Amino acid sequence: MTNTSRFITLPAPQSAKHPVSDTRHGITRVDDYAWMRAENWQEVFKDPSTLDPAIRSHLEAENTYQSALMADTKALQAKLFDEMKGRIKEDDSSVPSKDGPYAYGTSYKTGGQHPRFFRTPRDGGEQTMLLDGDLEGDGKAYFSLGSADHSPDHSKMIWGFDDKGSEFYTLKVRDLTTRADADDLVSDTSGGGVWNAHSNGFYYTRVDANHRPSRLFYHELGQPESTDRLIHEEKDAGFFLGVGGSSLDDFIFIDCHDHETSEVWLLDARNAASEPKLVAARQTGVEYSLTEGGDVFYILTNADGAKDFKIMSTPVTTPEPENWTEVVAHKAGRLLLGHGAYKDHVVWLERENSLPRIIIRNRHSGEEHAIAFDEEAFSLGLQGSPEYDSEVIRFSYSSMTTPSQLYDYNMRTRERTLLKTQEVPSGHNPDDYITRRLLAPASDGETVPVSIVYHRDTKLDGSAPCLLYGYGSYGMTIPSSFSTSCLSLADRGFIYAIAHIRGGKDKGYAWYDNGKRLHKKNTFTDFIASARHLVAEGFTSHERIIAQGGSAGGMLMGAVANMAPEAFGGIIAEVPFVDVINTMLDDTLPLTPPEWTEWGNPITSPTDYAYMASYSPYDNVHAQAYPPVLAVAGLTDPRVTYWEPAKWVAKLRELKTDDNPVLFRINMDAGHAGASGRFSRLEEVAYVYAYALKLVGKAEV
């Protein structure tokens, strides 16, 4: 294993045991560390000072311990931070996006932590600063901007902020002429709003005490929040409620969904008194989403067995399913990811054989063509255009060696215009690095894509350390995109690898299906197979592999540590979802009911309970040798509550049979996303990378 003698010897925090038993489906489990969950957790999210002093004392002891064991990396952390900061253009600015008489963009100022929102005249000219995130967040321990949405008449803007890290956003309305905020104030929202067509009111979702966006309200400008009208309420605690608007500003889309089922309602954006109109009633396992195409809606859906999705159209006056007609047929293995519609074209982003493409179709002739690139592994992002009557869309491209490039693309002439290449102020030569795509054989005959990047001078003789990253849940695909941060590892001889494991949609929807619920263990065995393939191919050795994952990827870290501890030289679990059984049994927690479609419902299903209990990281910690572990969390995190990693760390220390240290770093002023601000977040990355470097004996400054 890694040389843990590099850590000083210091007694780890002692965790009191207060056993709590729970019996379900005839099975009794005992949780010795349940006391770490604050009874007033909902209050703590909004006011961290209300945390039980005994719990606070324990968490602070954890921070003292990890800080002491990492004290000798302070200079390295500072150097890593300076390197990563040096690769960021501090006064960076986006290419403004045209919408009506203006073009809107974001920028940063030198030393600034938060974005600023500006606009210029449509065809260029002087910038007008609309909102300065640094100014709004000044003096706050935590501050995060939500969205900033200008009104259709360009006179006002809705903007949101969270100053606790708990993701309860407050909305304000700003006059874009005076840049003064009105008295309008809407609290406990999801972070953004959607304007009506007349720019005198907006729609927003309110988050309840359990942090679920379940109710849609309409706010009329100038009126108190207490008079806001309830438009739609989602009664099923397992569904999220979202709201969006059409590019022609004539429809409001109300989206009700869980991880496998959706339902859309329509509102007339021109009539604040209009009632929601149902498009298609929810059917378990059927998803659909709408984009407006003038007199028709284009519908992306997996209805009728189209597992990898197809595109349909329907008249806006009769959007019901019986009026849907096929535009783009389903093709197994080609996953349609998103779509947009413009006056003369339909556009969609698809992925096949793990690589993305953008497809353009002429609405009149039906002719199609693709935007594609030739690198072995790369990432595409489809931004589209905020304007419906446009021939030009915008997309981004990057690879693990190529900085992000932003293009305008004329759908009619097929002319591609490079607008911006990500600037790396401290310098970057793509030729110094090599990126490859490997295929790791899984135990059941599948092959798992693994994207890697390393410095050209790195010896591939098995001696190189490797940071292996994985996620593998919710159908999320981790793109093979450019990261300035990981270059600090590559420059020190690391191989940086991403395992595209089941649970994501890297190889189509079936790749997701085969990594969820009763197939969840495929996610873990795929990751272990990826590690073993890297060793078998001579890139690294098991004691030199540091595994990293966050949130559901943190659950992955806990699972593989239990299943194959010998395969890894270290584990980094950020905001890790490790107490799976207890969380999925508690339907008062923010995300539990919506998550049952992903993991199963252990309350009602003995089968789900037994399967979940067989891999839940916290429940499966047992007496064996574990590699060194670092857990990172945030006190006000509503997605993965702080007590999950706190309990997991305590149980690891109690049962493991080795001398490897288990560290727990908790940010007492932040939530799921970590510290607020771009540079504060880099400090956290520097800490994590310093830990990885320390484990493999490369902690010299």
Side-chain angles (χ1 to χ4, degrees), residues 423-465:
E423 186 177 335
V424 182
S426 60
H428 173 71
N429 182 2
D431 293 336
D432 287 343
Y433 304 91
I434 296 172
T435 184
R436 291 185 57 188
R437 175 67 63 98
L438 311 177
L439 293 175
S443 56
D444 61 357
E446 283 284 4
T447 55
V448 183
V450 182
S451 300
I452 65 173
V453 64
Y454 54 92
H455 196 280
R456 185 172 294 278
D457 295 338
T458 299
K459 293 181 180 179
L460 303 182
D461 58 2
S463 65

Side-chain angles (χ1 to χ4, degrees), residues 332-535:
R334 178 194 66 179
L335 180 63
L336 305 187
L337 299 164
H339 71 313
Y342 305 94
K343 182 180 178 182
D344 296 316
H345 299 89
V346 183
V347 183
W348 64 92
L349 178 66
E350 65 181 37
R351 185 184 299 112
E352 191 170 17
N353 296 322
S354 303
L355 292 176
R357 285 190 299 267
I358 295 171
I359 308 296
I360 315 291
R361 168 179 280 202
N362 186 294
R363 290 177 57 178
H364 311 293
S365 69
E367 183 182 7
E368 293 181 4
H369 67 276
I371 305 173
F373 291 82
D374 297 326
E375 283 196 76
E376 194 170 332
F378 60 87
S379 172
L380 283 180
L382 177 59
Q383 297 184 14
S385 169
E387 297 183 316
Y388 174 72
D389 188 1
S390 176
E391 292 184 341
V392 178
I393 58 169
R394 190 165 288 179
F395 72 90
S396 60
Y397 167 84
S398 75
S399 75
M400 296 180 80
T401 59
T402 307
S404 179
Q405 297 173 333
L406 186 68
Y407 291 89
D408 267 352
Y409 183 81
N410 189 299
M411 296 179 284
R412 178 179 56 82
T413 67
R414 307 189 185 185
E415 181 183 3
R416 185 184 300 184
T417 304
L418 178 62
L419 301 174
K420 179 182 178 182
T421 297
Q422 180 182 352
E423 186 177 335
V424 182
S426 60
H428 173 71
N429 182 2
D431 293 336
D432 287 343
Y433 304 91
I434 296 172
T435 184
R436 291 185 57 188
R437 175 67 63 98
L438 311 177
L439 293 175
S443 56
D444 61 357
E446 283 284 4
T447 55
V448 183
V450 182
S451 300
I452 65 173
V453 64
Y454 54 92
H455 196 280
R456 185 172 294 278
D457 295 338
T458 299
K459 293 181 180 179
L460 303 182
D461 58 2
S463 65
C466 173
L467 188 76
L468 178 60
Y469 180 86
Y471 187 75
S473 291
Y474 307 115
M476 299 292 292
T477 297
I478 305 302
S480 302
S481 55
F482 186 70
S483 165
T484 57
S485 297
C486 76
L487 296 178
S488 287
L489 293 179
D491 288 346
R492 288 171 170 81
F494 260 80
I495 293 168
Y496 183 84
I498 301 170
H500 302 279
I501 51 185
R502 275 175 280 193
K505 293 177 182 171
D506 305 70
K507 294 175 70 173
Y509 199 89
W511 201 243
Y512 170 42
D513 254 354
N514 289 323
K516 64 187 288 197
R517 294 197 70 160
L518 298 178
H519 303 289
K520 189 63 211 169
K521 289 182 184 177
N522 285 335
T523 302
F524 316 139
T525 56
D526 281 359
F527 190 82
I528 295 166
S530 300
R532 289 181 172 148
H533 186 66
L534 285 165
V535 174

Side-chain angles (χ1 to χ4, degrees), residues 59-107:
L59 298 179
E60 289 174 344
E62 290 283 9
N63 271 340
T64 299
Y65 175 70
Q66 61 83 14
S67 182
L69 266 65
M70 289 290 288
D72 61 339
T73 68
K74 289 291 187 182
L76 174 61
Q77 291 178 48
K79 183 172 178 56
L80 290 167
F81 172 77
D82 286 342
E83 287 177 9
M84 291 185 283
K85 185 178 180 183
R87 298 190 193 104
I88 294 176
K89 189 174 188 299
E90 289 204 40
D91 57 349
D92 200 10
S93 179
S94 69
V95 179
S97 184
K98 295 177 180 180
D99 186 14
Y102 298 101
Y104 291 84
T106 59
S107 67

